[in-house]
Amino acid sequence: MRKVYIYYFKYLKLFSVALIACCCVLSPQQTFATSPTSKVVKQKTVTGTILDAEDGKPLPGAGITVKGGSQSVITDGNGAFTISIPDDNTILLIKYVGYVTQEILVGNKTRIEVRLEASASSLSQVVVVGYGSQNKRDVTGSVKSLKSDDFNQGIINTPQQLLQGKVSGVNVTSASGEPGGITGINVRGPGGVRSGSSPLFVVDGLPLDNSSTGGGDPLNFINPQDIESIDVLKDASATAIYGSRGANGVILVTTKKGKAGTSTLGAVVSYGVSELARSIPVLTADEFRTEVPKAGGVLDDKGGNTDWQKEITRTAKTQNYNLNMSGGSDKLIYFSSLGVQKQQGIIKKNDLDRYSGRFNATQKYLEDRLVIDLNLSANNTKQQRPPITSIIGDALVNNPTYPAKDENGNTAIYQNINNPYLFFDLDKEITTTNRVLGNISPSFKIIEGLVFKMNVGVDNSTATRDVVNLPNAVPLRDGRLETFYNTNRNTLIENYLTYNWTNTVHNISALAGHSYQKIFVQQRNNSINRFLVGGIDPIYNPGVGQDLTLGNNRPGGFAFINELQSFFGRVTYQYNNKYLFTANFRADGSSKFGANNRYGYFPSFSLGWNIAEEDFMKNSVFSTLKLRGGYGITGNQEIPPKITQALFTSIASASYPLYPTGAYPAGTTYSRLANPDIQWETSKQTDIGLDFGLFKGALTGTVDVFNKVSDNILLQVIPADPVQPAAEVWSNVKDMTISNKGIEFELDYRHTADNGITYNIGGNLTYLKNKVKNSPYSVIPAGSVSGAGITSSTINGYINDQPVGTFFLKEFTGLDAAGMSVYRDLDGDGLITDKDRISAGTAIPNTIYGFYGSVALKGFDLSVNFNGVAGNKIYDYTQNVSFSKLRLAKNTNTTFEAISDPTESLNNATPVTTRYLKSGAFLRLNNASLGYTFNTKDLGINKWFSNIRLSVTGQNLFVVTDYTGYDPEVNADRAINGVSSYGIDFLSYPKARTVIFGLNFSL
């Protein structure tokens, strides 16, 4: 079977190369040619303007096509066009997304003005679904489409940030303020224990591997300026076409394309200034001098007045430059872009530089029967960072009376504290990642309605990560260089047929295809110690290192291959535009699973009823009203590779001497038992939704009720047989379930007043209830901690009848007469043990919301976007290990919150308890933008500029919360053996408040 795939892949690659060659060898005349003519036809030129019927504004990019002919153009930035037509009987088709198409008989006119009416509602928009697109009016699943105009503004590093607060049921967590840091996202709640909860991302038809090649967020390579739209598939009836990876939702990213009939050169330039949004209120030097003696300590005062948080942070600058060119003719459209983003982190010596290039093209051949789509992007990111956790930790607790610099302006050296400037001077981590992602998708119309399409794609990423610790005399350090080389190669081949047939009342569409995806991941690492002080930087010549013993510098690495073969299909049927039916099916075979259960089968179906199309609704207030419902099964394969196979370990300590003298020979033991019966974790989801529009589409909204149940949970468990050579084995826990139930609301209102003011307000709200049932353990621990007296404690737990992310802790009830902590004795045995831990709330919010507003008048526009969560808690692990009365008495800084009770004893311990559990609810002004678009026609420069816009944007302007840490939107990774933890704040990178000045223009 493997040989078949090798040959299959080989010949498809040859076919793809041949198709590209065809594109290249055609002459420009052939490429841009319109339909050939065999005789001279008298032409007539018509000019005109396309306007919005409601406010009279021009509509740039509207399409004008000769009905029955090949001539077509699009309007410029002022809504104007010029087109050649054969005669006075010509009919022009005027099309614009979101507006009703019009047919205009030219007659004897040479100039026309057309006013397009807006479509009844946004339900007429085209949305991208798996392996195709549909009119939103015909979609029967829960799908949300977000266009580029609706994206969040500001400094954006990942596509997830564009969605934050914009889509119901989607929780985006920017867990770190670091440039390029990981952005968490889940759709309708987490559904696994050890298998990730991130959705599947598909960029221009190429499913991505969610792993990160060089650290940071795996999607930070995408230039947000290149994205045209993002479509979120939420329920199983929409995601089941992606089968094995649809359990956590699917997010489809579509990049920009060119438009026929016009050439555009555009640029976006911005400059941002960022500062620390909120600092943790530790004691100032004067407060410290007062409080240390109160706490019973002897003040160690060096006479300084140092704000250590201010010392480690800076006013950071961000520069962003983007240039794009697009255009085309009937036969070829193209889009190309170059982008540069140079971003400083608000912590010193922390920078991210991203360089990106993109080229998208669509070429038509053979009288438009053969269409070839090409998408290609190349990206380079370079990230430099100091040891951030150590720097933040020291800045919070250092004695504020210690100066950061000596009298000569050099870094001050102390015996009893770590000066963060030493980390800035001596330690750095540099990661350089190169990523090339491209796919070519030829499609051929075999007969009318029947199209064959192939998709061949490659996503190749390589990264080099250097961790440098420079040598130093005082304090004495030998120095060390550790280098990691990472490779991630994702290849895809897909072939599928689509068939469409329609008449006056029936509309049938069918899809059938095959997919093969192969993912190769590799890491190698090496290191060397002991360098000369003041010598060459080890990153440039590791050979100057003097210690290469295997004990300290043993090379390491790993590699694995994951393969996925799939067969998929879809059938849609519409009757009279009123009654809708969709069925999906996918069979996935994955190399991650055992030989006995390699394939999983994932069906779904959904129904829709366009009630507004019924005769009895013709005079109602509803312009659109659609009821839909669906059910489906999806799968999850996001588990470690090779876990179905036995694992052996050879170590000397696991053996015994075979001879009277000499070294022990290595012994081989089982580390993991083989389990060929491991199979897919599945998710069954039911969704009922209602889409509506009133007042001719001015007010639109959606309501969805869903129930998602994940079962067959993949878990590392203790073998049932007590006589086993290995302590643990991977298995499916068949009775265990994780359920997510909820309801989603979305509402949007748009209006243009008589005085020309256009405004838009809207929002979304999600209620979510999550629960774990039938776990074989009383608690599956998560959230590790370390430190004096608390090592081996845990914070989170997966507990029956409780939500994922539940905090499982001893309950702090106050202080006794001696100033010692008192905890609730749950079992009443007079002892406080782990048996007294309680379920104290969850890190998963039960309410997620966002709301927005915009207003525009005479070139000015203002928009604001808010988002927030409620019902969740945060464990302040930073306070737990850093701030206490005892530590203050030892001249370590703290907060007033930590010493608020004067009766607390210096000897009081600070174990992991509910004392450090806090509300995580917040409301954030995510971004606000004020802009002015110049009327280039009034300025007399419309021949050179079709659009000029100046803007100023504020990002993270304020947050309303009771949380006292840097920011309530946190999630430090404290997983235990792969069991996900949630809602833990441990020395998290603080968020920035940013102001960005921007200039957009196009020619």
Side-chain angles (χ1 to χ4, degrees), residues 44-46 85 88 104-112:
K44 175 181 177 178
T45 299
V46 175
I85 63 173
D88 291 348
I104 304 296
L105 176 63
V106 175
N108 59 4
K109 297 187 289 290
T110 58
R111 177 169 180 78
I112 60 176

Side-chain angles (χ1 to χ4, degrees), residues 718-734:
I718 298 172
D721 186 347
V723 184
Q724 288 282 359
E728 295 180 314
V729 62
W730 278 87
S731 181
N732 295 95
V733 183
K734 297 187 181 301

Side-chain angles (χ1 to χ4, degrees), residues 849-867:
Y849 61 92
F851 54 93
Y852 54 85
S854 65
V855 61
L857 176 66
K858 295 183 178 179
F860 286 98
D861 61 88
L862 172 67
S863 63
V864 293
N865 291 278
F866 294 83
N867 71 284

Side-chain angles (χ1 to χ4, degrees), residues 393-594:
D394 289 331
L396 292 176
V397 302
N398 276 357
N399 186 328
T401 70
Y402 278 47
K405 301 283 187 176
D406 62 21
E407 60 273 10
N408 299 317
N410 299 318
T411 298
I413 307 298
Y414 302 105
Q415 294 296 320
N416 52 343
I417 72 166
N418 295 319
N419 190 334
Y421 278 102
L422 276 176
F423 293 118
F424 290 134
D425 295 339
L426 300 177
D427 300 310
K428 61 184 176 182
E429 179 181 315
I430 298 176
T431 303
T432 303
T433 305
N434 295 300
R435 190 165 186 173
V436 177
L437 185 147
N439 64 310
I440 183 169
S441 303
S443 61
F444 184 76
K445 185 168 71 173
I446 301 171
I447 59 174
E448 189 64 34
L450 181 63
V451 177
F452 167 76
K453 186 168 186 176
M454 181 172 67
N455 184 21
V456 181
V458 176
D459 177 11
N460 189 79
S461 180
T462 59
T464 301
R465 176 170 165 254
D466 293 304
V467 182
V468 184
N469 308 115
L470 295 176
N472 195 56
V474 181
L476 180 63
R477 297 179 10 154
D478 285 343
R480 177 177 172 84
L481 169 67
E482 191 169 10
T483 302
F484 299 84
Y485 303 96
N486 298 275
T487 299
N488 191 316
R489 186 177 303 112
N490 172 8
T491 55
L492 173 75
I493 303 174
E494 292 179 325
N495 296 275
Y496 54 95
L497 287 165
T498 57
Y499 178 72
N500 293 284
W501 178 85
T502 184
N503 65 11
T504 54
V505 294
H506 302 285
N507 188 323
I508 298 174
S509 176
L511 164 76
H514 170 267
S515 174
Y516 173 70
Q517 190 166 13
K518 179 179 179 180
I519 297 170
F520 170 73
V521 177
Q522 181 185 40
Q523 181 186 100
R524 293 176 294 162
N525 63 280
N526 54 60
S527 60
I528 190 167
N529 284 43
R530 196 175 301 158
F531 296 89
L532 295 176
V533 177
I536 190 170
D537 190 324
I539 198 173
Y540 300 115
N541 185 2
V544 300
Q546 301 172 44
D547 179 3
L548 195 56
T549 59
L550 284 180
N552 293 326
N553 301 289
R554 182 179 295 276
F558 62 84
F560 58 83
I561 294 175
N562 294 326
E563 295 177 282
L564 186 70
Q565 177 176 239
S566 309
F567 301 89
F568 55 88
R570 176 173 60 219
V571 175
T572 65
Y573 172 71
Q574 303 168 27
Y575 176 74
N576 206 23
N577 290 324
K578 299 178 184 178
Y579 312 111
L580 317 171
F581 170 78
T582 302
N584 292 284
F585 179 79
R586 184 164 179 132
D588 277 326
S590 173
S591 61
K592 286 188 175 184
F593 293 103

Side-chain angles (χ1 to χ4, degrees), residues 269 344 676 681 743 794 836 875 934:
V269 180
Q344 295 179 335
E681 186 174 287
I743 183 168
T794 59
D836 296 307
Y875 191 83
F934 292 89

Side-chain angles (χ1 to χ4, degrees), residues 58 65 72 77 85 122 207 239 303 364 421 436 497-498 500 569 683 917 921 954:
T65 306
S72 66
I85 63 173
S122 62
T239 63
K364 298 178 181 179
Y421 278 102
V436 177
L497 287 165
T498 57
N500 293 284
S683 175
L917 195 62

Side-chain angles (χ1 to χ4, degrees), residues 279-295 309 396 400 815 876 879 882-886 888 892-904 915-916 918 964:
S279 60
I280 293 179
V282 295
L283 305 182
T284 65
D286 290 339
E287 292 167 342
F288 188 82
R289 293 182 176 101
T290 301
E291 295 299 330
V292 170
K294 285 184 180 180
Q309 292 181 84
L396 292 176
L815 301 174
D876 194 348
Q879 180 182 348
S882 301
F883 305 138
S884 68
K885 192 173 184 178
L886 175 61
L888 176 64
T892 297
N893 208 354
T894 189
T895 62
F896 279 113
E897 179 186 8
I899 57 173
S900 59
D901 193 330
T903 65
E904 183 171 7
R915 181 177 186 178
Y916 307 103
K918 304 175 181 179
T964 53

